[in-house]
Amino acid sequence: MSYTLNVSNDDDGRRLDRFLRTTFKNVTLGEIMKSIRKGEVRINGTRVRDGSTHISAGDELTVKWEKGEVVIPKSAGLGKIKVIHHGRNVMIVNKPSGILVQPDEPNGDSVITRIWSFLGTRTPAAVHRLDRNTTGVLAVALHGDALRALEALFKARRVRKIYMAVLVGKIQDEITVDAPLLKDADNNTVKVSPDGMRAVSKITCLASDGEYSLARIELLTGRTHQARVHSAHIGHPILGDRKYGDFNANRAMKSITRPLLHAYELGFPDDIDDSLEEISGKNFVAELPDDMKDFTEKRFNIKK
């Protein structure tokens, strides 16, 4: 897919490579130069292979990137990480499936190590976690002050966290699950237990065909595996969940290779620390991944 943009009067006479670097801040310089050399950049329909070419006001440029897309070479076949917001102190990304948030070994592949590589610094840190196969919106602090401020917001439960999931069976219109969760660190599992920490989820049915349901899950607390365990606890596990799910349902839908769980939205309050001014009062939404889009369209006739 290609994208076009027009050169403004302010950029008249600039070098092509410098213009692309400042316009597509989320694309590495190496990727820009490689694309130019391969003839993937066009000016008024003509391929350009020299980054020092000067552009003029009114020129139409055709490129392969969309603004806000992090292009990382050596992506291990996991695709590109979509940037939803990139400010001075905070980055919000749409995490793909199959990649850890943090590396599990030195220099291991993860969302954070890719961001380190892209920005050229190891300062950025994830503020919360998503499982390897959970997709969706992830907040990353780019500096220490922002990290401390964001951690305080999450700890105080002032960040609105909305998930989308495909559950097995037909669920009620709305269910509030207030069930404490206890983590077994040795086995990396979580269960409902009176000895656990309080966990509250609000699960709302958006659509159902009787066999499966599309649910909106608002996490009012933030416990490990909360959405997955609470869904299973009410008898409607997440489709594709091999740890807490329905074995027969998963076997019947072999094309589903991961839990169909997606972190859809993060909402921030407006009375927050100055270091977070750029996200104050804003909601950030991560579009559904292709597997969930396909499923909801086929099963529920929902197009997103």
Side-chain angles (χ1 to χ4, degrees):
M1 184 177 292
S2 61
Y3 302 89
T4 60
L5 64 160
N6 294 102
V7 178
S8 68
N9 291 329
D10 293 337
D11 292 307
D12 184 56
R14 293 188 64 190
R15 282 174 51 131
L16 174 64
D17 52 1
R18 293 173 183 172
F19 170 78
L20 293 176
R21 187 69 182 103
T22 55
T23 301
F24 297 92
K25 295 180 180 179
N26 299 317
V27 182
T28 65
L29 178 59
E31 182 70 12
I32 287 173
M33 299 309 296
K34 178 180 177 182
S35 187
I36 292 173
R37 289 195 300 270
K38 292 172 65 176
E40 295 174 338
V41 177
R42 297 172 184 259
I43 298 179
N44 300 322
T46 302
R47 295 180 187 273
V48 180
R49 300 180 187 273
D50 185 353
S52 65
T53 300
H54 291 274
I55 57 178
S56 303
D59 281 348
E60 182 180 83
L61 270 60
T62 304
V63 299
K64 69 174 186 176
W65 318 287
E66 183 179 10
K67 288 186 179 180
E69 197 172 72
V70 173
V71 179
I72 309 255
K74 300 180 180 178
S75 60
L78 297 175
K80 300 169 183 176
I81 299 175
K82 185 77 175 183
V83 176
I84 301 170
H85 167 83
H86 185 186
R88 178 174 295 181
N89 298 314
V90 180
M91 181 181 285
I92 309 288
V93 302
N94 186 354
K95 175 192 169 298
S97 173
I99 183 172
L100 294 168
V101 171
Q102 299 276 12
D104 59 355
E105 60 183 12
N107 300 316
D109 188 31
S110 70
V111 174
I112 288 301
T113 49
R114 292 188 190 188
I115 292 175
W116 287 349
S117 176
F118 165 63
L119 295 177
T121 174
R122 288 178 172 253
T123 302
V127 183
H128 54 118
R129 298 289 184 270
L130 297 176
D131 294 336
R132 181 194 293 268
N133 289 317
T134 299
T135 57
V137 64
L138 177 73
V140 177
L142 301 182
H143 305 288
D145 289 344
L147 177 61
R148 288 183 285 274
L150 280 168
E151 286 178 336
L153 278 183
F154 275 86
K155 185 176 182 180
R157 302 177 186 172
R158 299 192 65 207
V159 179
R160 188 161 161 263
K161 295 169 288 185
I162 305 295
Y163 284 70
M164 293 291 186
V166 175
L167 307 187
V168 177
K170 179 175 174 55
I171 65 173
Q172 300 175 29
D173 290 344
E174 186 171 293
I175 309 168
T176 297
V177 185
D178 189 343
L181 297 179
L182 181 65
K183 182 177 181 180
D184 182 340
D186 292 336
N187 296 315
N188 191 30
T189 58
V190 176
K191 65 180 180 180
V192 172
S193 168
D195 298 324
M197 301 181 70
R198 190 182 184 209
V200 183
S201 305
K202 184 183 292 185
I203 304 177
T204 304
C205 183
L206 301 179
S208 181
D209 65 357
E211 190 173 5
Y212 303 101
S213 299
L214 176 65
R216 175 186 184 272
I217 304 177
E218 181 174 3
L219 301 185
L220 303 181
T221 53
R223 309 302 178 199
T224 300
H225 296 176
Q226 179 173 323
R228 297 167 65 186
V229 177
H230 272 181
S231 297
H233 179 65
I234 63 172
H236 299 285
I238 295 172
L239 180 62
D241 192 336
R242 266 54 179 180
K243 183 172 288 188
Y244 306 109
D246 183 313
F247 175 79
N248 290 326
N250 292 340
R251 184 172 59 181
M253 296 292 289
K254 292 181 180 180
S255 61
I256 304 301
T257 59
R258 71 173 187 96
L260 292 187
L261 177 65
H262 176 73
Y264 183 70
E265 180 180 341
L266 284 179
F268 296 93
D270 55 13
D271 55 337
I272 53 181
D273 188 271
D274 288 345
S275 65
L276 304 179
E277 181 180 1
E278 67 198 62
I279 61 172
S280 176
K282 295 181 179 179
N283 295 320
F284 297 95
V285 172
E287 65 177 13
L288 292 178
D290 289 342
D291 55 359
M292 291 187 70
K293 283 182 181 178
D294 292 343
F295 192 93
T296 56
E297 181 174 345
K298 292 175 183 176
R299 281 280 176 169
F300 314 123
N301 197 29
I302 295 175
K303 297 182 179 181
K304 291 190 176 183

